[in-house]
Each structure stands twice: as structure tokens, then as C-alpha cells.
């Protein structure tokens, strides 16, 4: 039971609710307690956070106070904030997320950027040909949807082995009005897809090692293991995708991966051994080598 009863006081105001909520989360060891409390109250009241600063003494309805208290209690168990808010911003779109679907991370925004930048340079972007793109392990649909939103003439196939994840991905495509540009398929990698001549394959596969999985932040334990577990050394999906991609890509086609901390050399080697060239590595905002791009048997020899 939580040690706070927000709804019990005669007159609850925004300011007093937030203060108590933040104190409660802080006592439970939740990081960024005040901000989390603000996001949750904003969600419950259907009001933007900044409005709280304009009207700190506004009264809160008992039903809202009660709902806020429920969410605080869930959050104090380290249930992810994004699952409670049911949405997460990703580059140019907002996505619905929930249990069974990996929460998109900021690093993956860089992956989507690099896909766009690389393919634009190579093919002319908006004015270029209608490219065929495959997103392997699409999760919430974040990469496919974000890219489709900006390149409406590209045809994207997005796969995932999890029907729970695809449930969110399909809803997110509709919500962002790109459902006609993306075909979602439940399958392992791209098993069963017959037209194997993609211009690019992109994937943020599960890449955490078994030992990393055992040391995760409490929040990540609520996320699907199938989206995180990359096998003993975290590399199993990179190997499978790189080897199979040589048959799935056009000659000169691109492969883009998000990779885990310290995996750059191993993935570089996997790509090289699988016949990829022009291998490039990009860092994330924390200066960690996070994205790798490569080209299959370059047209330039
Ligand atoms: N970046 C995620 C994490 O650290 C892992 C995502 C993945 O395995 N693709 O939790």
C-alpha cells in the first residue's frame, strides 16, 4: 500500500498533489521523481505540464487524484513511465506503447536518421526512385513509421516475431497515417517473404548479452525479453541477419544496424565476412559506437 493518500484531503491542488507525488516516488527510489509525477498528472488530467506552472493552486477532481495515485503506485514498482503514459515520442512521430512492445530509445532515432541520410545521398531521397526497405524486428514500428512519414514513395515491409509488438506497430502506422506505405508481417527475420530484392535492410535487433540482461534497470524487466536477448555474446541476430541479407538485398544494397556497447568490432567483422563493404560506424549522443552501416558488394567494386 502506498504511504500517501492524495485524494483524502479536502482540497487538493495541482501544486500539493505534485509535491506529494514527487516525494512518494523519490522515497521509492524512482529516478527523476518530480518530472515523472508531472508527466503522470498531465496524462491523468489531459492537460500539458506547462499549465501546472500557470495554475499551481487549481483544484484537482477526486477522480483525477485517485487515478494519479494508482499510477504513482505502479511507477513506484518501477513499471516504465512510457507504458503508463501509453505513448512515446520518436523523431517526427508519437507512438503508442504497452507491455509486449519494446519502448523506442533515443539511440534508435539516430539509426533512422542515418538510414534516411545514407539512402538520400545515394538515391536522391524525395526525388529519387521508390525504394524497397525491410525493417527487421520492428517492435512498435518506430523505424518503419518514422521513415515512411518522410519518404511516402518508399515501400516498406516491417516484420516481427511477436504478435503483441505487431499489434502496436499496426496501430501506430494508422495513428501516423502511413498504413498504406508499410506492410507488417509476423515472421522470424523475413522468412516467407518471396520478393527478396531490397534496397536496404534496417534492424535494431535484440543485442544484450546474457550477463547484461541480468543487470538491467528495474524498468527494463517489464519489457519483452524477446526484444532484448541477443544470446550469450549478444551477437546472434547480427550473424543471422548479415548472412541472410546477402540473399535479401540487391547488389549494392545497404544494411543498417543498431549495436550494443562494445560490439562494433565484432559486428564489423561479421559484416566483412558476409561480403559487406563500405562499413561505417556512427556514435550516439553518449559517444558510444551505436550504429553501423554497410553495403553489399559495392557497385564500385
Ligand atoms: N538499447 C536497449 C537497452 O539497452 C537494447 C535494445 C536492443 O537490444 N535492441 O535496453
Amino acid at each position: 500500500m502506498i504511504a500517501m493518500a492524495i485524494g483524502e484531503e479536502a482540497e487538493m491542488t495541482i501544486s500539493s498533489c505534485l509535491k506529494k507525488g514527487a516525494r512518494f516516488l523519490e522515497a521509492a527510489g524512482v529516478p527523476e521523481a518530480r518530472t515523472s509525477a508531472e508527466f503522470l498528472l498531465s496524462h491523468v488530467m489531459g492537460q500539458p505540464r506547462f499549465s501546472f506552472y500557470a495554475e499551481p493552486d487549481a483544484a484537482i477532481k477526486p477522480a483525477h487524484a485517485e487515478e494519479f495515485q494508482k499510477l504513482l503506485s505502479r511507477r513506484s514498482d518501477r513499471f516504465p513511465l512510457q507504458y503508463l503514459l501509453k505513448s512515446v515520442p520518436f523523431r517526427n512521430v508519437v507512438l503508442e506503447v504497452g507491455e509486449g512492445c519494446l519502448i523506442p530509445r533515443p539511440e534508435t532515432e539516430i539509426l533512422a536518421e542515418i538510414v534516411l541520410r545514407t539512402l538520400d545521398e545515394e538515391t536522391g531521397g524525395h526525388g529519387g526512385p521508390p525504394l524497397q526497405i525491410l525493417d527487421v524486428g520492428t517492435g512498435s514500428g518506430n523505424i518503419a513509421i518514422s521513415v515512411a512519414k518522410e519518404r511516402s514513395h518508399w515501400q516498406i515491409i516491417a516484420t516481427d516475431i511477436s504478435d503483441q509488438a505487431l499489434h502496436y506497430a499496426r496501430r501506430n502506422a494508422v495513428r501516423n497515417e502511413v498504413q498504406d506505405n508499410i506492410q507488417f508481417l509476423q515472421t522470424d527475420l523475413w522468412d516467407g517473404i518471396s520478393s527478396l530484392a531490397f534496397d536496404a535492410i534496417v534492424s535494431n535487433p535484440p543485442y544484450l548479452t546474457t550477463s547484461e540482461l541480468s543487470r538491467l534497470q528495474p524498468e527494463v524487466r517489464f519489457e519483452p525479453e524477446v526484444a532484448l536477448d541477443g544470446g550469450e555474446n549478444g551477437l546472434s541476430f547480427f550473424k543471422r541477419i548479415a548472412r541472410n541479407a546477402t540473399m535479401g538485398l540487391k547488389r549494392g544494397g545497404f544494411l543498417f544496424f543498431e549495436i550494443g556497447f562494445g560490439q562494433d568490432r565484432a559486428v564489423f567483422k561479421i559484416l566483412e565476412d558476409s561480403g559487406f563493404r563500405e562499413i561505417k560506424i556512427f556514435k550516439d549522443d553518449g559517444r558510444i559506437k551505436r550504429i553501423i552501416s554497410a553495403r553489399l558488394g559495392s557497385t564500385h567494386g
Side-chain angles (χ1 to χ4, degrees), residues 58-72:
I60 290 186
K61 291 185 194 149
H64 283 164
E66 204 177 303
E67 180 61 18
F68 181 48
Q69 186 165 325
K70 265 192 219 148
L71 295 179
L72 287 171

Side-chain angles (χ1 to χ4, degrees), residues 73-132:
S73 173
R74 282 297 267 150
R75 185 70 192 107
S76 73
D77 295 334
R78 306 298 292 269
F79 192 71
L81 181 65
Q82 295 89 338
Y83 283 170
L84 292 172
L85 302 175
K86 298 190 174 69
S87 84
V88 58
F90 183 82
R91 283 189 77 240
N92 49 343
V93 294
V94 175
L95 302 164
E96 183 183 343
V97 289
E99 276 178 284
C101 160
L102 187 78
I103 299 164
R105 310 288 203 262
E107 300 88 90
T108 313
E109 296 182 331
I110 304 173
L111 173 59
E113 292 288 339
I114 287 166
V115 169
L116 283 166
R117 202 198 307 159
T118 307
L119 297 179
D120 281 2
E121 273 168 18
E122 203 55 42
T123 69
H126 282 294
L131 302 183
Q132 316 268 341

